[in-house]
Amino acid sequence: MNASPEHQRLLLDVADLDRRIQQAERARTTPAQGPRINELAKERQEQLRELTSLTGARDDARTELSRLESDVKLVEQRRTRDSERLAASTNSKDAQAFEHELASLAKRVSDLEDMELEVMSRVEEAEAAVAAQQALIDLTTAEGTELTTQAKAAVAAATTEGEHLKRDRAAITASIPADLLADYERRASRGIGVGLLRRGTCEGCRMMLSGTHLNEVRQAAPDAVMSCPECGAILVRTDESGL
Ligand SMILES: [Zn+2]
């Protein structure tokens, strides 16, 4: 195939734009924050599960405490009633029975109050654990929200960048003959589309051409489309080619 050296050189600009378009596409579809955002979502789920279990333990302790409180109330009511009955009693046998029961009720209240104190401290510990877990979840959520905002901004920027680059590419390719462009695109789809020949080296694959190949390139007409024997890219010749 033949194409003017100017048109061949334009392919280098197209290749550069294609590389940047691919970069922008990667930034758009896989923002850098993505892995951490997924990690945080998983962490948050585990933290929420833990919160559910801590909340359950706290609620159990609260229920136990209110049961003890109502038990104390019931025993206190009975003590009041027995005291009144004792005061009203005329029979010494009855009085003795009331005194006996009052003593055992006093012991019962004291035991219940000891248990209350113990459960109260468990409620406090459980409440602190729930609060700490909630604070941890808030931190995870805040980091996730922040990163999501950053990712959205990065995706929006990459989208705009990609659109600009595609517009630039269209402006350049409009002046390149269709068959040359198609040739470049076919080669690019398999690997490297075009490489500048600089000081005897193909910049597409960084391989230095052998003397034989350099001779071939040297002898070829300026508008001949040459290929790198190593990577198959269109070899673009300039004054820097070292020919
Ligand atoms: Zn090459």
Side-chain angles (χ1 to χ4, degrees), residues 45-46 52 58 65 79 128 161 175 181 191 202 205-206 224:
Q45 269 188 341
E46 275 167 33
T52 305
R58 180 204 61 192
L65 182 60
R79 272 174 92 182
E161 167 86 354
S175 63
L181 185 63
C202 164
C205 62
R206 306 276 163 200

Side-chain angles (χ1 to χ4, degrees), residues 49-239:
R49 257 199 298 277
E50 177 67 11
L51 179 67
T52 305
S53 116
L54 289 172
T55 308
R58 180 204 61 192
D59 292 348
D60 288 350
R62 280 180 178 170
T63 306
E64 198 179 337
L65 182 60
S66 63
R67 201 175 296 139
L68 283 171
E69 282 166 352
S70 69
D71 283 355
V72 169
K73 207 174 285 170
L74 281 178
V75 178
E76 290 290 9
Q77 280 168 2
R78 233 172 119 190
R79 272 174 92 182
T80 310
R81 197 193 58 197
D82 284 359
S83 300
E84 285 164 5
R85 283 184 179 169
L86 176 62
S89 156
T90 49
N91 179 319
S92 77
K93 209 177 162 195
D94 284 354
Q96 235 175 17
F98 284 132
E99 271 167 6
H100 185 74
E101 188 169 320
L102 277 168
S104 92
L105 288 175
K107 172 79 170 68
R108 176 83 182 124
V109 165
S110 159
D111 287 350
L112 284 171
E113 281 170 350
D114 286 349
M115 283 159 76
E116 249 184 1
L117 283 177
E118 193 257 325
V119 175
M120 248 181 233
S121 88
R122 262 168 52 209
V123 167
E124 276 168 21
E125 277 167 25
E127 281 171 347
V130 166
Q133 188 65 14
Q134 188 57 61
L136 184 65
I137 291 168
D138 289 348
L139 279 180
T140 309
T141 307
E143 190 185 347
T145 306
E146 169 65 20
L147 285 179
T148 303
T149 306
Q150 285 177 17
K152 277 185 186 160
V155 166
T159 305
T160 308
E161 167 86 354
E163 281 163 5
H164 287 164
L165 291 169
K166 281 176 192 162
R167 219 172 297 154
D168 291 350
R169 188 189 196 274
I172 294 177
T173 54
S175 63
I176 297 175
D179 57 349
L180 177 65
L181 185 63
D183 188 17
Y184 156 76
E185 283 173 348
R186 191 167 40 77
R187 295 177 198 236
S189 71
R190 293 189 196 138
I192 301 170
V194 66
L196 172 65
L197 180 64
R198 177 178 276 155
R199 287 184 219 102
T201 298
C202 164
E203 293 212 321
C205 62
R206 306 276 163 200
M207 286 293 292
M208 188 173 262
L209 266 66
S210 70
T212 318
H213 281 126
L214 270 181
N215 256 337
E216 266 177 39
V217 175
R218 202 172 281 137
Q219 283 157 17
D223 66 347
V225 174
M226 304 301 288
S227 299
C228 166
E230 187 63 33
C231 68
I234 294 172
L235 264 186
V236 172
R237 287 158 285 166
T238 67
D239 294 343

